[in-house]
Amino acid sequence: MKEFILVIDDEKTQREILTGFLKKLDYKVEKAACGKEGLQIISNNPVDLVLTDFKMPDMDGITVLQEIKKLNPEIDVIIITAFGTIEKSVEAMRKGAEDYLIKPINLDELELIIKKAIERKSIISENLQLKKEISEKYDFSHIIYKSKVMEEVMNIAARVAQSKASVLIRGESGTGKELIARTIHYGSTRKNKPLIIVNCGVINENLLISTLFGHEKGSFTGAIKQARGKFELANKGSIFIDEVGDLPLTAQVQLLRVLQEGTFERLGGELPVEVDVRVIAATHRPMEEMIDSGTFREDLLYRLNVITINIPPLRERKEDIPSLLNYYLNTYGEENRKSLHGFSKEAFDFLMKYDYPGNVRELKNIVERSVILSRGEVITSEDLTENIKRKEKKKSSISNGSLQQQVEGLERNLIEEALLLTEGIQTKAANLLGISERNLRYKMQKLGLSKRE
């Protein structure tokens, strides 16, 4: 659609010149001889941009600007001013004008200013549409699950979304921790503000503090100017810190301060920076063991896990697999322009029995590859990649269970033997095993070993 531009000017010659020029540029143009007439046109038409003289008999440019913004704050206004009223035009820009032009008007400059205003408006409109689409995509109703354990996860996420509390999401890689974090953000009152994502596992330790908190000019070699960090960019919104267990201790101190006081200092800076940021963190690491080993601060963990959400691995919620398979089959079938009607019985049985060590992420990749490789209207076992078949074959050759199961069995035997030798005294048993008493209690609880008197 052609942009609708209104020209308001009490000088007939200038009004006609501007109107004719804009029509040649293929804009839809209306004209008005005074502010009152212009406002009447705006009230009855979908005007995109107004070009108005500053000095007119009935009202000045600032008054016209204010009245336009009352009718529709989305309309851009460009002020035309004589040299002697530049100061007033600058004041108008502070009150919401897009730009100003000095008489006599340079038509090339006018064309450039209008194009910039329309492009800026288009970008804002696209961003709003994108935010709407993202918000809808990460709506709670769009998470796919059937299991009771995931229903509980979603119930907690929905309840915590409206709060300001920090959240720690725990689960294996590929379980969907980032998806839950996005859903919490877009289900909160902060949804129209930024969600900034940082993965601590992929950023060099030396750069991580600068990435999170920014730096001042000259704070290190190559710091040629001041840079804002992720926390400043996330102000009034949320920050998702993935793999928070990979944070170095120096960064943990800074993060703790942000959580406690809402302030931090840029690298090399002295003045505190205030922010209002909701922190959502995620990890697959055993945080209690990291605390015992001195690699993670206990007080920081307490601050992070005001609310803890544990996402179970896919192998523990297999009732979710059929819905996920169908969802990704439809998604990638449409993306690859293939009409697919499901899975063969053999392929479906295989996918239901498979343990998915990479969780939902692996299931998603398996379906995508299978859709691309498929030759017919149904995904068959031949369409499944050799990679997962080899994994399943290798798994079946381990008669004594998985590595994790064997490790847990060994731990159980050693702990039971240590408790027997120390007559159930946990402090002595922990010393005998070479671990802390806290770590021993954690392992006993995890392995289902009852406390011995």
Side-chain angles (χ1 to χ4, degrees):
M1 291 178 65
K2 295 179 181 178
E3 285 77 14
F4 193 143
I5 300 177
L6 172 64
V7 177
I8 307 175
D9 200 311
D10 61 318
E11 293 181 17
K12 183 177 180 181
T13 303
Q14 175 122 312
R15 191 168 64 242
E16 295 298 334
I17 289 173
L18 292 174
T19 302
F21 176 71
L22 293 171
K23 284 183 177 179
K24 284 182 181 178
L25 295 176
D26 206 28
Y27 295 117
K28 182 178 179 180
V29 187
E30 282 288 345
K31 54 190 175 182
C34 63
K36 185 176 180 181
E37 184 184 347
L39 293 172
Q40 186 65 39
I41 292 171
I42 292 170
S43 297
N44 298 316
N45 294 277
V47 175
D48 296 299
L49 184 144
V50 174
L51 195 62
T52 180
D53 193 14
F54 183 84
K55 197 171 182 181
M56 294 182 291
D58 61 338
M59 59 181 77
D60 64 17
I62 290 180
T63 306
V64 172
L65 169 69
Q66 291 172 331
E67 292 302 316
I68 288 172
K69 293 299 181 181
K70 285 179 185 177
L71 290 171
N72 185 349
E74 300 302 315
I75 296 175
D76 288 327
V77 179
I78 298 172
I79 304 287
I80 303 170
T81 181
F83 185 78
T85 54
I86 291 178
E87 188 177 333
K88 290 285 185 181
S89 298
V90 173
E91 179 188 346
M93 286 189 67
R94 284 198 294 265
K95 292 186 177 179
E98 174 68 19
D99 212 328
Y100 69 90
L101 282 164
I102 301 171
K103 295 179 181 179
I105 294 175
N106 182 316
L107 295 179
D108 290 336
E109 184 183 1
L110 170 62
E111 181 181 0
L112 183 61
I113 288 174
I114 289 174
K115 280 184 177 179
K116 283 173 64 179
I118 289 170
E119 285 174 5
R120 185 191 65 82
K121 194 167 187 175
S122 175
I123 290 170
I124 290 172
S125 177
E126 288 173 5
N127 286 343
L128 289 173
Q129 180 61 28
L130 181 60
K131 282 184 177 180
K132 181 175 181 292
E133 290 173 2
I134 290 173
S135 182
E136 289 174 354
K137 181 179 179 181
Y138 294 108
D139 181 79
F140 283 91
S141 63
H142 286 69
I143 305 293
I144 299 163
Y145 63 93
K146 292 287 185 182
S147 62
K148 289 184 178 179
V149 287
M150 277 305 292
E151 183 177 354
E152 180 60 23
V153 166
M154 297 311 299
N155 283 339
I156 296 171
R159 280 179 282 162
V160 76
Q162 297 302 317
S163 74
K164 294 182 179 180
S166 54
V167 182
L168 180 63
I169 305 171
R170 304 180 76 158
E172 295 178 7
S173 294
T175 49
K177 297 187 289 295
E178 183 177 324
L179 178 61
I180 298 298
R182 287 181 179 274
T183 302
I184 290 171
H185 172 76
Y186 290 110
S188 75
T189 55
R190 297 172 181 257
K191 65 182 179 181
N192 294 321
K193 298 298 181 181
L195 169 64
I196 303 296
I197 297 173
V198 184
N199 188 329
C200 301
V202 298
I203 301 175
N204 182 288
E205 183 177 325
N206 296 325
L207 294 176
L208 195 52
I209 293 179
S210 174
T211 299
L212 288 170
F213 306 108
H215 62 259
E216 298 291 351
K217 180 180 178 181
S219 57
F220 56 86
T221 304
I224 58 175
K225 61 180 181 179
Q226 183 194 78
R228 295 192 300 162
K230 300 297 186 183
F231 268 93
E232 283 182 85
L233 296 174
N235 193 31
K236 303 297 181 183
S238 306
I239 187 167
F240 174 53
I241 306 176
D242 199 5
E243 300 303 342
V244 71
D246 290 335
L247 268 181
L249 287 168
T250 48
Q252 291 178 33
V253 174
Q254 285 268 48
L255 179 55
L256 180 62
R257 182 180 173 188
V258 175
L259 290 167
Q260 289 177 330
E261 304 171 13
T263 64
F264 63 89
E265 291 166 5
R266 298 190 193 99
L267 187 64
E270 296 179 355
L271 297 176
V273 179
E274 291 187 11
V275 288
D276 172 16
V277 177
R278 204 266 184 85
V279 176
I280 306 171
T283 185
H284 72 281
R285 291 176 173 270
M287 303 301 285
E288 290 77 11
E289 293 181 17
M290 292 183 69
I291 289 170
D292 287 332
S293 66
T295 55
F296 202 87
R297 294 179 62 106
E298 188 172 19
D299 50 359
L300 176 56
L301 180 60
Y302 289 150
R303 284 285 180 175
L304 286 173
N305 70 348
V306 174
I307 302 293
T308 299
I309 297 177
N310 292 297
I311 306 179
L314 191 55
R315 62 183 174 275
E316 293 179 7
R317 48 185 178 101
K318 291 210 166 186
E319 55 265 59
D320 291 336
I321 292 175
S323 298
L324 288 166
L325 289 172
N326 287 330
Y327 173 78
Y328 288 119
L329 179 71
N330 293 332
T331 299
Y332 292 118
E334 184 177 337
E335 188 177 295
N336 290 277
R337 297 179 182 178
K338 289 190 174 184
S339 179
L340 296 165
H341 303 300
F343 300 83
S344 70
K345 185 178 185 307
E346 185 182 3
F348 184 76
D349 288 346
F350 178 86
L351 292 168
M352 286 299 296
K353 292 174 183 176
Y354 186 57
D355 269 353
Y356 300 96
N359 292 294
V360 179
R361 185 187 294 129
E362 185 179 10
L363 179 147
K364 177 181 174 182
N365 291 339
I366 288 170
V367 176
E368 182 178 12
R369 289 194 297 266
S370 299
V371 167
I372 292 169
L373 296 172
S374 65
R375 298 179 180 88
E377 295 184 345
V378 175
I379 300 293
T380 67
S381 58
E382 287 73 28
D383 297 323
L384 302 177
T385 64
E386 287 299 320
N387 187 36
I388 64 169
K389 291 177 182 177
R390 282 197 301 270
K391 283 183 184 178
E392 195 68 9
K393 187 176 179 181
K394 187 174 181 181
K395 176 191 163 192
S396 64
S397 68
I398 303 174
S399 58
N400 294 324
S402 68
L403 176 62
Q404 183 179 353
Q405 289 172 329
Q406 292 183 60
V407 169
E408 287 181 354
L410 179 61
E411 280 190 335
R412 179 189 296 275
N413 292 338
L414 289 172
I415 290 171
E416 286 181 336
E417 186 178 347
L419 288 169
L420 186 64
L421 290 171
T422 59
E423 298 180 343
I425 301 173
Q426 292 183 22
T427 305
K428 291 183 179 180
N431 289 334
L432 188 62
L433 292 165
I435 60 176
S436 69
E437 186 178 355
R438 178 189 178 87
N439 198 359
L440 174 61
R441 289 198 303 271
Y442 169 73
K443 288 181 179 295
M444 288 175 65
Q445 184 180 10
K446 180 181 175 183
L447 296 169
L449 296 174
S450 60
K451 184 178 178 181
R452 303 192 178 201
E453 301 299 334

